[in-house]
């Protein structure tokens, strides 16, 4: 090249929890390609490779401008040889042959369709593909035994694969607040997950529920679920009681029997209101009066609330990186319940997310900047 141009060289810290990642992604073309490879690795049971591609994509999401040349990436962490090759292809020719081939691959398409059924994981989808089941039609026709979650997932497939909007999330929030207020006055409902990070759409709506008086939240989930069910809001639910208990010796000890932190995976029957886009995926005879929406509910005692809030706000990679930072850099163990300091052999208390970041020696990153 004859001309010399000034090109910005980027650099960014190596852990996603040290970076501010907004939804304003300047490198979506690159991160979409890497995310697709991550997704394929995860769908193929290769979690390590999946994480590597997720980390590479996340590093690019944090850059302030679009990347135009490979030479700008000298100070960007987490880019392995494979990721760099994909980035190079996209920068030079607008697309990566590997990624384009993957998009067209029958196996990848089938894995996406089948794991798109609520209740169907990677293993089940892989087994079905091995039996020649590649589409929903083939699944319905060949009739392998489906569990309760999978039957609900198949029945509401179109609704559950249609993104949930903010207005719908607000409508679900109103229902959950009514339920909580009715079964436990004073209960507090907080929107978590992607909507708390400012996303405009989500694959579900996530809530964390607590009560300002420690212990009052015990047994809340079954009451909440039965209220929702009696009002006709539930198409499906499965409640897991969580048996978290702090051990004086630290979190390496297996937790035992106290049911104090519960989770419910559910499918809501959400009435469609006029003006909230009730066009629906119905098809048979005009707009339907309701749609199915995936909703996750978590109940936490107020003493663990800050940890649960931090742990359930996401993104998934941000959470993973927080735990990796805690372990590798601080000799601490972070979970959605607590933070344990191995050097001091004690739990570190916190009543806000800010305090947890401070314990971890990290600058506070607000939810809207955790979109790694
Ligand atoms: P969309 O729903 O696709 O918009 O994205 P999201 O970020 O809300 O993802 P999701 O609802 O899957 O998860 C929300 C948060 O909950 C993420 O931070 C996950 O890491 C966290 N999460 C999901 N499942 C579990 C779990 O079983 N245990 C814990 N502790 N956290 C979980
Ligand atoms: Mn979510
Ligand atoms: Mn969720």
């Amino acid at each position: 090249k004859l001309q010399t141009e000034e090109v910005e060289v980027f650099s960014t810290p190596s852990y996603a929890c040290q970076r501010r990642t907004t939804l304003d992604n300047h490198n979506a073309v690159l991160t979409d390609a890497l995310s697709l490879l991550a997704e394929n690795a995860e769908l193929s049971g290769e979690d390590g490779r999946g994480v590597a591609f997720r980390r590479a994509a996340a590093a690019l999401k944090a850059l302030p401008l679009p990347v135009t040349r490979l030479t700008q990436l000298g100070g960007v962490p987490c880019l392995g040889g494979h990721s760099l090759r994909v980035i190079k292809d996209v920068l030079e020719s607008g697309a990566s042959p590997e990624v384009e081939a993957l998009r067209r691959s029958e196996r990848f398409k089938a894995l996406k369709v089948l794991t798109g059924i609520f209740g169907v994981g990677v293993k089940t989808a892989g087994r079905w593909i091995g039996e020649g089941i590649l589409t929903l039609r083939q699944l319905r026709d060949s009739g392998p035994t489906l569990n309760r979650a999978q039957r609900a997932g198949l029945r509401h497939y179109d609704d559950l694969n249609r993104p949930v909007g903010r207005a719908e999330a607000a409508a679900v929030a109103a229902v959950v607040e009514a339920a909580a207020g009715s079964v436990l006055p004073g209960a507090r409902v907080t929107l978590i997950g992607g909507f708390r990070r400012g996303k405009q759409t989500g694959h579900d709506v996530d809530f964390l529920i607590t009560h300002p008086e420690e212990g009052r939240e015990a047994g809340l989930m079954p009451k909440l679920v039965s209220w929702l069910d009696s009002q006709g809001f539930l198409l499906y639910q499965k409640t897991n009681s969580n048996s978290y208990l702090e051990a004086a010796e630290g979190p390496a000890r297996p937790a035992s029997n106290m049911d104090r932190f519960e989770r419910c995976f559910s499918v809501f029957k959400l009435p469609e209101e006029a003006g909230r886009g009730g066009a629906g995926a119905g098809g048979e005879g005009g707009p339907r009066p309701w749609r199915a929406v995936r909703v996750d509910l978590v109940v936490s005692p107020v003493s663990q609330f800050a940890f649960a809030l931090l742990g359930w706000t996401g993104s998934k990679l941000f959470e993973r990186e927080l735990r990796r930072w805690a372990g590798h850099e601080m000799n601490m163990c972070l979970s959605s319940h607590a933070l344990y300091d191995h050097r001091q052999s004690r739990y570190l208390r916190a009543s806000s997310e800010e305090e947890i970041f401070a314990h971890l020696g990290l600058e506070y990153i607000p939810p809207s900047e955790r979109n790694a």
Side-chain angles (χ1 to χ4, degrees):
K1 295 262 164 68
L2 292 172
Q3 69 200 42
T4 50
E5 250 176 77
E6 277 203 28
V7 178
E8 178 151 7
V9 175
F10 299 113
S11 110
T12 185
S14 52
Y15 287 82
C17 54
Q18 298 173 289
R19 308 189 289 251
R20 297 178 182 275
T21 313
T22 65
L23 289 165
D24 193 14
N25 177 0
H26 301 281
N27 287 283
V29 182
L30 297 174
T31 61
D32 285 352
L34 294 169
S35 299
L36 204 78
L37 293 174
E39 195 178 4
N40 182 54
E42 289 157 2
L43 290 173
S44 308
E46 299 171 44
D47 291 343
R49 270 161 51 82
V51 173
F53 285 127
R54 295 268 174 223
R55 282 209 190 110
L60 299 180
K61 282 183 198 170
L63 303 183
L65 290 167
V67 174
T68 53
R69 299 169 180 213
L70 218 49
T71 52
Q72 294 175 286
L73 296 174
V76 179
C78 309
L79 302 177
H82 197 154
S83 293
L84 284 170
R85 193 161 72 240
V86 171
I87 293 168
K88 180 170 185 282
D89 285 342
V90 175
L91 291 180
E92 285 176 358
S93 66
S96 147
E98 182 187 5
V99 171
E100 294 316 305
L102 182 58
R103 271 190 227 282
R104 288 188 303 266
S105 128
E106 293 304 321
R107 181 181 164 80
F108 181 67
K109 280 191 265 183
L111 281 168
K112 290 268 288 179
V113 168
L114 297 177
T115 58
I117 304 169
F118 170 63
V120 176
V122 165
K123 280 189 192 144
T124 303
R127 180 158 39 80
W128 287 344
I129 291 170
E131 293 165 10
I133 299 169
L134 301 175
T135 64
L136 294 185
R137 169 169 302 229
Q138 286 168 342
L139 180 66
R140 287 191 171 108
D141 290 348
S142 65
T145 314
L146 301 180
N147 64 29
R148 205 167 55 86
Q150 294 162 348
R151 288 199 300 274
L154 194 55
R155 191 176 310 130
H156 304 294
Y157 186 87
D158 289 337
D159 273 0
L160 297 183
N161 281 281
R162 188 154 53 97
V164 182
R166 286 200 84 89
E168 290 169 323
V172 176
V175 172
V176 174
E177 276 158 16
S182 161
V183 301
L184 180 64
R188 290 188 190 158
V189 176
T190 306
L191 187 64
I192 49 174
F195 286 112
R196 181 163 184 252
R197 302 197 307 276
K199 283 178 61 180
Q200 291 304 312
T201 60
H203 95 284
D204 67 357
V205 195
D206 308 283
F207 296 96
L208 176 60
I209 305 160
T210 191
H211 191 284
E213 245 176 89
E214 183 81 2
R216 291 286 300 281
E217 82 295 338
L220 173 56
M221 191 70 89
K223 288 181 207 152
L224 203 60
V225 166
S226 86
W227 188 95
L228 289 166
D229 196 30
S230 71
Q231 302 287 311
F233 284 114
L234 289 182
L235 294 163
Y236 169 89
Q237 69 83 21
K238 183 179 186 330
T239 304
N240 288 347
S241 56
N242 192 320
S243 54
Y244 178 78
L245 181 66
E246 277 183 10
E249 305 82 358
R253 302 276 300 196
S256 81
N257 56 13
M258 261 160 87
D259 278 13
R260 299 193 63 199
F261 194 105
E262 306 164 299
R263 174 169 191 189
C264 176
F265 303 91
S266 73
V267 177
F268 266 44
K269 181 174 181 174
L270 182 67
E272 295 261 28
E273 281 161 22
R276 211 178 53 229
E284 324 97 43
R288 296 157 40 199
W290 57 270
R291 72 163 286 191
V293 177
R294 274 273 297 114
V295 176
D296 283 339
L297 305 172
V298 185
V299 171
S300 121
V302 70
S303 61
Q304 297 172 17
F305 180 80
F307 295 98
L309 184 62
L310 179 58
W312 289 84
T313 293
S315 69
K316 283 196 184 76
L317 186 81
F318 191 91
E319 303 294 342
R320 177 183 271 278
E321 293 278 278
L322 270 178
R323 293 193 300 269
R324 189 165 70 97
W325 168 271
H328 290 198
E329 308 295 332
M330 303 299 288
N331 197 14
M332 293 179 184
C333 177
L334 175 68
S335 75
S336 297
H337 297 278
L339 178 62
Y340 187 80
D341 185 339
H342 286 288
R343 267 180 300 225
Q344 300 184 56
S345 301
R346 69 180 185 97
Y347 287 95
L348 304 179
R349 305 293 158 190
S351 54
S352 68
E353 290 180 316
E354 284 86 345
E355 288 174 68
I356 303 173
F357 279 88
H359 284 316
L360 290 169
L362 289 168
E363 219 176 289
Y364 177 68
I365 310 283
S368 62
E369 296 177 339
R370 296 180 203 160
N371 286 291

